[in-house]
Amino acid sequence: MARDGKPTRDKILTETKNLVFCNGFSGTSIDQILDKTGITKGAFFYHFKTKNALAKALIETYAEEDMSHLESALQETESLKETPLKRLLQFVQLFIDMMMTLKEPPSCLYASYSYESNQFDQETMDIVSDSILEWRNTFTELLNKVLVENTPKKDIDVQSLSDQFVVIFEGAFVVSKALNDSDITAKQLQHLKNYLELLFD
Amino acid sequence: MARDGKPTRDKILTETKNLVFCNGFSGTSIDQILDKTGITKGAFFYHFKTKNALAKALIETYAEEDMSHLESALQETESLKETPLKRLLQFVQLFIDMMMTLKEPPSCLYASYSYESNQFDQETMDIVSDSILEWRNTFTELLNKVLVENTPKKDIDVQSLSDQFVVIFEGAFVVSKALNDSDITAKQLQHLKNYLELLFD
DNA sequence: ATTATTAAACAGACTAGACGGTACAAATAT
DNA sequence: ATATTTGTACCGTCTAGTCTGTTTAATAAT
């Protein structure tokens, strides 16, 4: 048939993501993307019908990667499933370790999109909310298993405690970017781990 | 002289802030601002030399209001200064109460600007980081007074624990917007309060 | 093995409209 | 009367998107 277009498509997605993290989506022009990727308008609009089609493909790809992070963290802690608290803490620890390796402030497309949500259609924004709800539900499952065996030291609302995982990520990303300090996220997650230990130990 | 321009200027600032929260700054055009405010281009460019001058004035105003929230929370808890832990907890409680009155998801310009920081000059972004550092420093002072009398149940890093206040705000705002749930922020702050109680009680 | 065919992948000039910004006249209040 | 404030027509640039044509590589016929 013809040459393989996947590398081009992937390059567009990768470079656009990096641009969006510091320019926002509206602030990222197609010409900028062409500069960064070295491709041309013809190639771009062959792969994406409109700029907003790119926005949707970008968040889809991002959400898929995000969900696979979630899955692999679940798998890596599955050996601890008989000790739910240990598993929960190890689950958090995995992300602490991950965040400790960062060399520059991290970013999240969910936050970026949420702060200019008018630019996107409902389907695109639904991917954002669905992904966040996946994290909530996963954490809730882990927490409910803990609650069978451990009595919390304080009355807690399981759903909002589940949300705290994503909340700390998102908040730490913002502060990390604002202060240009890449160490913040790991440290903030450590506080969540402390909290869980104090609650259930 | 002539008529008073301050109402016009204030209206521009208020409406722009609301637009930026859902369109981003790049995604907010001057024409949109004119539509929302009902003023004209002549008036706009009389008050702000460029669009970016508006961006700077906007974050300045926002930071001033933010700092006055900080100040008034300090004042409202000053009667508890002899019992540092009580004061710290009451300080957090004030913001829980404030967040419980919200009827729609809140937003923060610091986060909005940080996710399109390339659009702004250094001075503008410095206002963001300075403001966040003010919150950190204030919280650190409160915490240090607690530490004189209370021994934490876990080894903690004071600076990152101070940051957690802003981190939870910023993260809760993002999740609140993404899920369109205005109750999230108060609940998340409650977990911070729980954590502090478990740490120091 | 060489060539012709075909569809995918890409190149780049072009367009219509939106954008930030300007010029200057008109209006307002003292 | 005069400085401040506002209205409006206008301009050059940038933007997303189109159009037409060219290149690439797998396939099929010679």
Side-chain angles (χ1 to χ4, degrees):
Chain A
M1 296 274 174
R3 59 189 135 167
D4 186 14
K6 191 163 185 303
T8 302
R9 193 187 136 98
D10 289 347
K11 212 193 302 182
I12 294 173
L13 288 171
T14 303
E15 292 304 326
T16 301
K17 186 175 67 177
N18 293 331
L19 284 167
V20 168
F21 282 156
C22 25
N23 299 317
F25 183 75
S26 301
T28 301
S29 72
I30 291 170
D31 284 337
Q32 272 179 283
I33 297 169
L34 303 186
D35 281 350
K36 276 272 177 187
T37 55
I39 64 167
T40 60
K41 245 173 197 184
F44 178 90
F45 281 101
Y46 170 76
H47 287 284
F48 302 100
K49 262 182 69 182
T50 65
K51 195 190 174 194
N52 264 283
L54 167 61
K56 194 180 175 193
L58 186 60
I59 198 74
E60 277 169 353
T61 307
Y62 186 84
E64 279 167 24
E65 290 169 2
D66 190 42
M67 290 304 103
S68 87
H69 283 142
L70 192 163
E71 282 303 322
S72 60
L74 278 179
Q75 278 177 23
E76 286 179 51
T77 58
E78 214 188 357
S79 62
L80 297 170
K81 73 174 172 212
E82 302 307 323
T83 52
L85 179 57
K86 274 190 184 167
R87 185 186 192 179
L88 180 71
L89 297 173
Q90 181 59 24
F91 185 89
V92 176
Q93 185 63 48
L94 281 178
F95 291 95
I96 295 176
D97 295 342
M98 187 188 299
M99 292 299 115
M100 285 202 305
T101 69
L102 296 177
K103 293 186 171 167
E104 43 182 53
S107 303
C108 175
L109 276 188
Y110 304 154
S112 181
Y113 277 37
S114 292
Y115 266 101
E116 45 178 338
S117 57
N118 275 6
Q119 308 298 330
F120 310 106
D121 56 29
Q122 193 59 51
E123 282 181 40
T124 298
M125 290 311 298
D126 282 348
I127 295 171
V128 172
S129 52
D130 288 350
S131 302
I132 291 177
L133 289 175
E134 270 298 306
W135 284 99
R136 170 193 281 180
N137 292 335
T138 300
F139 219 86
T140 297
E141 281 183 39
L142 293 175
L143 265 177
N144 279 334
K145 285 173 193 154
V146 172
L147 285 168
V148 173
E149 304 190 354
N150 304 70
T151 309
K153 300 283 188 296
K154 285 195 168 285
D155 279 346
I156 49 136
D157 170 43
V158 177
Q159 181 173 293
S160 68
L161 182 54
S162 304
D163 284 341
Q164 184 140 76
F165 188 67
V166 174
V167 163
I168 285 182
F169 262 103
E170 295 295 350
F173 286 8
V174 169
V175 174
S176 180
K177 283 167 78 74
L179 302 184
N180 192 32
D181 180 346
S182 52
D183 299 331
I184 285 178
T185 309
K187 291 178 181 170
Q188 293 301 316
L189 283 173
Q190 181 62 50
H191 285 295
L192 173 59
K193 195 183 174 199
N194 287 349
Y195 180 38
L196 293 169
E197 285 171 349
L198 288 168
L199 261 179
F200 294 112
D201 258 353
Chain B
M1 303 268 176
R3 58 189 136 167
D4 186 14
K6 191 163 184 303
T8 303
R9 192 188 136 98
D10 289 348
K11 212 194 299 181
I12 294 173
L13 288 171
T14 303
E15 292 304 327
T16 300
K17 186 174 67 176
N18 292 332
L19 284 167
V20 169
F21 283 155
C22 27
N23 300 316
F25 183 75
S26 301
T28 302
S29 70
I30 291 170
D31 284 338
Q32 271 179 284
I33 297 170
L34 303 185
D35 281 350
K36 277 271 176 185
T37 56
I39 64 166
T40 59
K41 243 172 197 188
F44 178 89
F45 281 102
Y46 170 76
H47 288 285
F48 302 100
K49 263 182 68 181
T50 65
K51 195 191 175 194
N52 264 284
L54 167 62
K56 194 179 174 192
L58 185 61
I59 198 74
E60 277 170 352
T61 307
Y62 185 84
E64 279 168 24
E65 291 168 3
D66 189 43
M67 290 304 102
S68 89
H69 283 141
L70 192 164
E71 281 303 322
S72 61
L74 278 179
Q75 278 178 23
E76 286 179 49
T77 57
E78 214 186 359
S79 62
L80 297 170
K81 72 174 171 211
E82 304 306 323
T83 52
L85 180 57
K86 273 189 184 167
R87 186 188 191 178
L88 180 71
L89 296 173
Q90 181 58 25
F91 185 89
V92 176
Q93 184 63 48
L94 282 178
F95 291 94
I96 294 175
D97 295 342
M98 187 188 300
M99 292 299 115
M100 284 200 308
T101 69
L102 296 177
K103 292 186 171 166
E104 44 182 53
S107 302
C108 175
L109 276 188
Y110 304 154
S112 181
Y113 278 37
S114 292
Y115 266 102
E116 46 179 337
S117 56
N118 275 6
Q119 309 297 331
F120 311 105
D121 56 30
Q122 193 59 52
E123 282 181 41
T124 299
M125 291 311 297
D126 283 348
I127 295 171
V128 172
S129 52
D130 288 350
S131 302
I132 291 177
L133 289 176
E134 271 297 306
W135 284 99
R136 170 194 282 180
N137 292 335
T138 300
F139 218 87
T140 297
E141 280 182 40
L142 294 174
L143 264 178
N144 279 334
K145 285 173 192 153
V146 172
L147 285 168
V148 173
E149 304 190 355
N150 303 69
T151 307
K153 300 284 188 295
K154 285 194 169 284
D155 278 345
I156 48 135
D157 170 43
V158 177
Q159 180 173 294
S160 67
L161 183 54
S162 305
D163 283 341
Q164 185 141 74
F165 187 67
V166 174
V167 163
I168 285 182
F169 262 103
E170 294 296 350
F173 286 8
V174 169
V175 174
S176 180
K177 284 166 78 75
L179 302 183
N180 192 31
D181 180 346
S182 53
D183 298 331
I184 284 179
T185 309
K187 290 179 183 171
Q188 292 301 315
L189 283 173
Q190 181 61 52
H191 285 295
L192 173 59
K193 196 183 174 200
N194 288 349
Y195 179 38
L196 294 169
E197 286 172 350
L198 289 168
L199 261 180
F200 294 113
D201 258 354

